[in-house]
Amino acid sequence: MPQDAKSVFTSMGARLAIARNEVGLTQTAMADAIGVSHRAYHSYEKGQRGLPIEALVAMADRFDVDAAWILLGTKAVRAGHDFEALKKIETSLDQHLNEEIIKIRSEKRGAIVARWYQSHVEGREVTDDDVHTWIELVRE
């Protein structure tokens, strides 16, 4: 079944937040780096608008972000990354959120996934307490 535009934009927005967090930029800095306004970039991460192709190409060129991953969630965030670990992290987080009936915004979810994945890449163990703390910090 094809996804509706809102679903596509929401998923893409979460992946934008993950990529931005991975390269260590604020929304403002990323907006400047890819040539869009901060307001526009914020709306991309919130899933309210689609990312213009020019901005996607700028992000891919400047930060080695996989454009297919941003658009469709395929391959990896950046070359050489552990996509399977990222999928496991996202699945674990979503399972916990669903079990506990916790609602968080997609960009906040992306920030948690990015922090968790960064810990994985750096070889740091992430405890349940770490994840619970991150969720409490972004909970609505």
Side-chain angles (χ1 to χ4, degrees), residues 22 81-82 85-86 89 112-121:
E22 185 174 295
H81 281 262
D82 187 349
L86 182 59
I89 289 166
I112 292 170
V113 171
R115 182 175 279 180
W116 195 342
Y117 182 71
Q118 185 66 35
S119 295
H120 168 77
V121 168

Side-chain angles (χ1 to χ4, degrees), residues 11 25 29 34 38 45 54 63 70 72 79 84 86 91 93 106 118 128-130 135:
S11 297
L25 296 178
I34 64 173
H38 173 259
E45 278 197 13
E54 298 85 355
F63 301 107
I70 294 291
L72 304 170
E84 289 305 313
L86 182 59
T91 301
L93 178 61
S106 62
Q118 185 66 35
D128 287 344
D129 285 342
D130 293 330
I135 290 169

Side-chain angles (χ1 to χ4, degrees), residues 99-110:
E99 287 171 0
E100 299 296 320
I101 312 170
I102 299 172
K103 301 276 187 203
I104 59 174
R105 293 180 183 194
S106 62
E107 66 269 20
K108 304 288 185 175
R109 178 191 170 276

Side-chain angles (χ1 to χ4, degrees), residues 47-61:
Q48 296 171 334
R49 295 172 51 186
L51 182 69
I53 193 70
E54 298 85 355
L56 177 63
V57 169
M59 183 181 275
D61 286 346

